[in-house]
Amino acid sequence: MPNLDDTKALLELDTDGMFDAAWSLAEQCTEAWGLSQQVALPEQSRPVSQIVVTGLGGSAIGGDLLRVFGGPLLPVPVLVNRDYTLPRYVGEDTLVFVVSYSGNTEETLSAYDEAKSKGATIVAITTGGKLGARAAADGFPVVQVPGGIAPRSATGYLFIPTLGVLERMGFLRGMQAEVEGLVAYLQELREKYGPANPTGANPAKDLAGKLYGRLPVIWGASGTTEVVAMRWKGQVNENAKTPAYWNVFPELNHNEVVGLEKAENILASTWFVFLHDPDDHPRVKMRMDITKRMMAKAAGCTDVEASGPNRLARLYSLIYLGDYTSLYLAALYGINPGPVKVIDFLKAELAKRP
Ligand code: F6R
């Protein structure tokens, strides 16, 4: 098994600079906040009664972060749309964040065209590409974020601007302090999760060691850590090129656990990660505890607690641990975490079929 404390070998394998991008997340969030303060606000023809974030993969996860983080704060609902089309109710009273890091994802471009034709209020977040060009030509505000990293490494660039824009539009308050708290905490956490901190003292390296050779199953809770569970799964898939699954309490107590009742062989090579946040419903906390006792009879289990000075930092504390863990897991498998050849292949094949 490769040695995760051999920092030189770790970084040599990582030709796309995924570790560097993870390390710079704090600075990325600060920069993203600044961009959100500079962009022109969209002109609204009608008051906004719902927010839609449309995008795919690494560009969509920020929508879920907004949905979960904004849930208790926003006076209007947030829908995350990962599709070519938009729901019928999208119209002049809808604010649509169209998010694509490359600006060239065909589903997102199609959703953009539909949002425009429905008269929605649009803000684009992108490095450029066709989305940047189209939105600028159509007179919609474009938060133009720096390129050069993988979309999934750019959650700061793709998510933080939604907070800044929504605050300036009067939907949120106190976001600058929230982002500053997050940034300071990320700077602290990277010392703990970063490559220089050795195995045994580094929770991300230690957890990667447990997930190695096993099927990671990430369980979070509705309304708090659900987005984190989804993110961990995606990061394990894209960085370590390994299967992973996620689900949420309390729902999984009503189906998934039954499916595991007789699955001893699968459980023997599964590792469960239970994600916890202080805001989890008290009954959900009990459910997690009981379920963990059941699973621990046949599978490995790790509890991970959110930490940090505010809700945003707590959410990101878990995301950040998952990001680093997936990078170390890639290293354990001897895999370069950056390239996602399968996604590139699919995009290229689809591009040949206009
Ligand atoms: C790659 C990644 C993918 C992309 C997705 C959409 O790092 O995370 O999930 O985010 O293929 O592409 P963009 O983000 O360019 O719209």
Side-chain angles (χ1 to χ4, degrees):
M1 205 199 283
N3 175 7
L4 294 182
D5 296 333
D6 182 349
T7 314
K8 195 165 164 278
L10 211 65
L11 300 182
E12 260 167 27
L13 187 63
D14 173 24
T15 56
D16 292 0
M18 299 293 286
F19 274 101
D20 284 349
W23 183 267
S24 315
L25 185 60
E27 287 74 19
Q28 187 188 126
C29 290
T30 302
E31 195 181 346
W33 175 261
L35 294 173
S36 76
Q37 301 305 295
Q38 289 153 21
V39 67
L41 290 182
E43 283 167 30
Q44 289 170 242
S45 50
R46 294 252 308 272
V48 170
S49 49
Q50 63 254 333
I51 298 165
V52 171
V53 181
T54 194
L56 274 296
S59 290
I61 199 75
D64 286 293
L65 283 164
L66 178 67
R67 180 176 58 77
V68 170
F69 174 74
L73 308 175
L74 287 164
V76 294
V78 177
L79 173 97
V80 185
N81 190 71
R82 293 175 162 88
D83 203 352
Y84 289 87
T85 56
L86 293 167
R88 178 150 180 230
Y89 64 72
V90 170
E92 290 178 2
D93 63 343
T94 311
L95 170 62
V96 182
F97 287 103
V98 184
V99 188
S100 170
Y101 190 71
S102 63
N104 293 325
T105 299
E106 64 172 41
E107 298 94 314
T108 312
L109 290 168
S110 157
Y112 168 83
D113 289 341
E114 191 177 327
K116 184 186 151 195
S117 71
K118 286 171 170 235
T121 299
I122 293 176
V123 176
I125 306 178
T126 181
T127 56
K130 291 179 187 156
L131 175 62
R134 270 188 219 179
D138 294 336
F140 295 117
V142 178
V143 181
Q144 172 109 31
V145 303
I149 56 177
R152 60 189 182 283
S153 302
T155 60
Y157 285 139
L158 301 172
F159 161 58
I160 298 292
T162 62
L163 301 180
V165 168
L166 287 171
E167 174 158 275
R168 289 175 60 211
M169 291 177 76
F171 287 102
L172 290 170
R173 287 164 62 177
M175 288 303 110
Q176 183 165 355
E178 199 83 18
V179 172
E180 282 169 2
L182 165 69
V183 167
Y185 198 55
L186 288 174
Q187 282 165 339
E188 202 178 310
L189 283 180
R190 67 189 178 191
E191 300 294 338
K192 199 162 145 191
Y193 301 151
N197 197 26
T199 309
N202 186 326
K205 288 183 181 177
D206 295 346
L207 188 50
K210 288 173 177 153
L211 300 181
Y212 177 71
R214 299 193 171 96
L215 178 68
V217 175
I218 320 300
W219 281 350
S222 277
T224 52
T225 57
E226 57 179 278
V227 54
V228 181
M230 186 200 288
R231 166 75 173 180
W232 275 53
K233 178 225 185 278
Q235 291 291 79
V236 169
N237 293 155
E238 289 191 60
N239 291 340
K241 282 77 174 167
T242 299
Y245 294 92
W246 72 283
N247 208 336
V248 287
F249 288 90
E251 177 64 18
L252 72 87
N253 271 173
H254 299 272
N255 35 59
E256 188 157 298
V257 279
V258 187
L260 296 170
E261 209 179 340
K262 298 258 180 286
E264 287 97 350
N265 289 346
I266 296 174
L267 287 176
S269 49
T270 298
W271 197 279
F272 291 92
V273 178
F274 289 76
L275 302 170
H276 302 277
D277 184 88
D279 284 347
D280 290 339
H281 192 284
R283 305 288 299 174
V284 162
K285 289 183 186 174
M286 277 180 217
R287 285 177 177 281
M288 286 183 150
D289 188 45
I290 299 166
T291 310
K292 199 183 84 187
R293 281 169 214 247
M294 286 159 54
M295 294 304 131
K297 287 181 189 151
C301 297
T302 296
D303 286 298
V304 183
E305 307 279 345
S307 58
N310 58 36
R311 276 186 62 238
L312 192 59
R314 287 214 309 270
L315 206 52
Y316 254 103
S317 71
L318 295 174
I319 299 241
Y320 212 31
L321 175 63
D323 287 1
Y324 268 111
T325 300
S326 67
L327 293 177
Y328 294 125
L329 188 58
L332 288 177
Y333 286 121
I335 283 170
N336 184 352
V340 280
K341 288 189 196 133
V342 178
I343 299 178
D344 297 341
F345 169 76
L346 284 163
K347 287 184 178 177
E349 285 300 305
L350 265 302
K352 288 183 206 156
R353 300 166 171 80

